[in-house]
Amino acid sequence: MLDTTVVTDARTPPRRRLVIGVAGGTGSGKSTVADRVISRVGHRQVAVIALDSYYLDQAHLTIEARAVVDYDHPEAFDWELLRNHVTALIDGRSVDVPVYDFSTFTRTERVETVPSAPIIVVEGILVLWDAGLRALMDLK
């Protein structure tokens, strides 16, 4: 059984959070893996970050140009923001994850606050592509 206890005693340093990267194509079971982790340890013990939230904002392009962008290419994502958010979660801080509007290919003004947790799941088609993000993961 996975021990997800986070030690908070000032005399003992807190245990590092477990970061799990789950990659795969559409319909491959990424969300199922995240759901299974949550069902095993409880939703308060898991923070889930979806790569789909980190598409770059395409508002600078016409809607026609946005429609032909290759959204399965690594250059379609904001890797720096994602790495910063995972690092913040590892450090015990909450993050404001962007909300992406897939109908307009733009980021909205809204964010979803994700609190840190002992287990952090990062899921998405290309989450293992970025070397800096991979370096933050304990299990891939």
Side-chain angles (χ1 to χ4, degrees):
M1 182 87 187
L2 181 64
D3 179 11
T4 60
T5 307
V6 176
V7 179
T8 57
D9 186 312
R11 296 167 292 172
T12 308
R15 195 176 283 165
R16 186 183 190 283
R17 284 152 175 78
L18 176 67
V19 181
I20 303 171
V22 184
T26 302
S28 65
K30 299 177 299 291
S31 297
T32 300
V33 170
D35 290 343
R36 293 275 170 90
V37 171
I38 292 167
S39 71
R40 288 287 261 185
V41 299
H43 73 277
R44 293 179 192 261
Q45 300 298 311
V46 184
V48 178
I49 297 288
L51 180 61
D52 284 352
S53 297
Y54 292 86
Y55 278 109
L56 292 168
D57 185 21
Q58 301 296 339
H60 63 285
L61 300 174
T62 66
I63 192 70
E64 295 81 16
R66 292 178 214 165
V68 297
V69 169
D70 182 357
Y71 292 95
D72 290 331
H73 193 280
E75 291 179 4
F77 298 96
D78 189 342
W79 296 105
E80 181 178 6
L81 181 61
L82 179 55
R83 287 189 306 271
N84 289 342
H85 280 183
V86 172
T87 300
L89 291 169
I90 291 168
D91 291 343
R93 295 178 278 135
S94 296
V95 295
D96 288 334
V97 175
V99 174
Y100 196 81
D101 183 343
F102 294 94
S103 66
T104 62
F105 309 102
T106 59
R107 282 191 186 165
T108 68
E109 295 294 319
R110 298 185 326 267
V111 295
E112 292 181 2
T113 301
V114 175
S116 184
I119 300 172
I120 301 160
V121 176
V122 185
E123 64 91 4
I125 188 170
L126 295 173
V127 295
L128 300 180
W129 180 84
D130 183 77
L133 184 60
R134 273 195 324 273
L136 297 172
M137 297 175 185
D138 302 296
L139 181 64
K140 302 162 195 77

